[in-house]
Amino acid sequence: MIQQITNDSSGLRRFVSGTNVIAQKAVHRCATFSGIMALWLGCLLMMGVVAKAQVVTADILGTVTDAGGAVVPNAAVTVTNLGTNEVRTANSSESGDFTIALLPVATIQ
Protein backbone atom coordinates (compact mmCIF):
# COMPACT_ATOMS: atom_id res chain seq x y z
CA MET A 1 0.00 0.00 0.00
CA ILE A 2 1.32 3.47 -0.95
CA GLN A 3 0.77 6.44 1.36
CA GLN A 4 1.57 10.12 0.83
CA ILE A 5 3.90 11.23 3.56
CA THR A 6 4.80 14.83 2.87
CA ASN A 7 4.44 17.72 0.48
CA ASP A 8 7.65 19.70 1.09
CA SER A 9 8.45 23.33 0.17
CA SER A 10 9.86 22.39 -3.27
CA GLY A 11 6.52 20.92 -4.29
CA LEU A 12 7.94 17.39 -4.17
CA ARG A 13 5.39 14.91 -2.90
CA ARG A 14 6.93 11.85 -1.33
CA PHE A 15 5.22 8.51 -1.14
CA VAL A 16 6.15 5.42 0.83
CA SER A 17 5.71 1.89 -0.39
CA GLY A 18 7.25 -0.48 2.15
CA THR A 19 10.77 0.87 2.64
CA ASN A 20 11.01 2.66 -0.75
CA VAL A 21 10.45 6.41 -1.03
CA ILE A 22 9.17 7.47 -4.43
CA ALA A 23 9.70 11.06 -5.56
CA GLN A 24 6.82 11.97 -7.85
CA LYS A 25 8.58 15.00 -9.32
CA ALA A 26 11.51 12.85 -10.46
CA VAL A 27 9.14 10.46 -12.22
CA HIS A 28 7.45 13.44 -13.89
CA ARG A 29 10.82 14.82 -15.04
CA CYS A 30 11.70 11.46 -16.59
CA ALA A 31 8.40 11.36 -18.47
CA THR A 32 8.87 14.96 -19.65
CA PHE A 33 12.42 14.23 -20.82
CA SER A 34 11.21 11.15 -22.72
CA GLY A 35 8.50 13.22 -24.38
CA ILE A 36 10.96 15.92 -25.41
CA MET A 37 13.37 13.33 -26.81
CA ALA A 38 10.56 11.69 -28.80
CA LEU A 39 9.53 15.06 -30.21
CA TRP A 40 13.14 15.90 -31.11
CA LEU A 41 13.61 12.54 -32.82
CA GLY A 42 10.36 13.03 -34.74
CA CYS A 43 11.55 16.44 -35.96
CA LEU A 44 14.85 14.97 -37.13
CA LEU A 45 13.05 12.23 -39.02
CA MET A 46 10.75 14.76 -40.69
CA MET A 47 13.74 16.86 -41.77
CA GLY A 48 15.23 13.74 -43.34
CA VAL A 49 12.06 13.17 -45.33
CA VAL A 50 12.02 16.78 -46.48
CA ALA A 51 15.67 16.65 -47.46
CA LYS A 52 15.11 13.51 -49.52
CA ALA A 53 12.27 15.22 -51.36
CA GLN A 54 14.60 17.83 -52.81
CA VAL A 55 15.84 16.93 -56.27
CA VAL A 56 18.85 18.56 -57.87
CA THR A 57 18.07 19.01 -61.56
CA ALA A 58 18.33 21.72 -64.17
CA ASP A 59 16.26 22.90 -67.13
CA ILE A 60 17.56 24.41 -70.37
CA LEU A 61 15.26 26.89 -72.09
CA GLY A 62 16.11 28.79 -75.23
CA THR A 63 15.21 29.99 -78.68
CA VAL A 64 16.81 28.63 -81.84
CA THR A 65 17.79 31.36 -84.30
CA ASP A 66 19.77 31.41 -87.53
CA ALA A 67 22.80 33.59 -88.29
CA GLY A 68 20.51 36.47 -89.27
CA GLY A 69 18.55 36.31 -85.98
CA ALA A 70 15.39 34.75 -87.47
CA VAL A 71 13.75 31.99 -85.38
CA VAL A 72 14.09 28.42 -86.62
CA PRO A 73 10.91 26.36 -86.10
CA ASN A 74 11.04 22.57 -85.62
CA ALA A 75 14.84 22.53 -85.13
CA ALA A 76 16.35 19.55 -83.31
CA VAL A 77 18.22 20.50 -80.13
CA THR A 78 20.56 17.92 -78.61
CA VAL A 79 22.21 17.98 -75.17
CA THR A 80 24.89 15.44 -74.20
CA ASN A 81 25.99 14.75 -70.60
CA LEU A 82 29.78 14.50 -70.92
CA GLY A 83 30.10 12.36 -67.78
CA THR A 84 27.59 9.65 -68.77
CA ASN A 85 27.19 10.26 -72.53
CA GLU A 86 23.42 10.46 -71.99
CA VAL A 87 21.77 12.30 -74.88
CA ARG A 88 18.54 14.31 -74.55
CA THR A 89 16.76 15.90 -77.50
CA ALA A 90 13.93 18.36 -78.06
CA ASN A 91 12.39 20.12 -81.04
CA SER A 92 11.83 23.85 -81.12
CA SER A 93 8.30 25.18 -81.42
CA GLU A 94 6.93 27.27 -84.28
CA SER A 95 8.37 30.33 -82.51
CA GLY A 96 11.80 28.64 -82.13
CA ASP A 97 11.45 28.05 -78.36
CA PHE A 98 12.60 24.79 -76.73
CA THR A 99 12.81 23.28 -73.26
CA ILE A 100 14.83 20.33 -72.02
CA ALA A 101 13.71 19.69 -68.44
CA LEU A 102 14.91 17.69 -65.43
CA LEU A 103 18.51 17.30 -66.49
CA PRO A 104 20.87 16.03 -63.78
CA VAL A 105 23.44 18.66 -62.87
CA ALA A 106 26.53 17.85 -64.94
CA THR A 107 28.88 19.15 -67.61
CA ILE A 108 26.95 19.19 -70.86
CA GLN A 109 27.60 19.92 -74.49
Side-chain angles (χ1 to χ4, degrees), residues 35-98:
I36 290 171
M37 290 303 293
L39 181 62
W40 184 76
L41 182 60
C43 288
L44 284 178
L45 290 174
M46 290 302 291
M47 285 190 297
V49 170
V50 171
K52 285 184 178 182
Q54 295 176 356
V55 179
V56 180
T57 59
D59 298 340
I60 297 177
L61 303 116
T63 303
V64 180
T65 58
D66 64 13
V71 297
V72 179
N74 301 317
V77 179
T78 302
V79 175
T80 303
N81 181 329
L82 297 178
T84 64
N85 291 324
E86 176 189 5
V87 176
R88 301 275 297 272
T89 60
N91 289 325
S92 63
S93 67
E94 292 299 319
S95 61
D97 298 326
F98 70 92

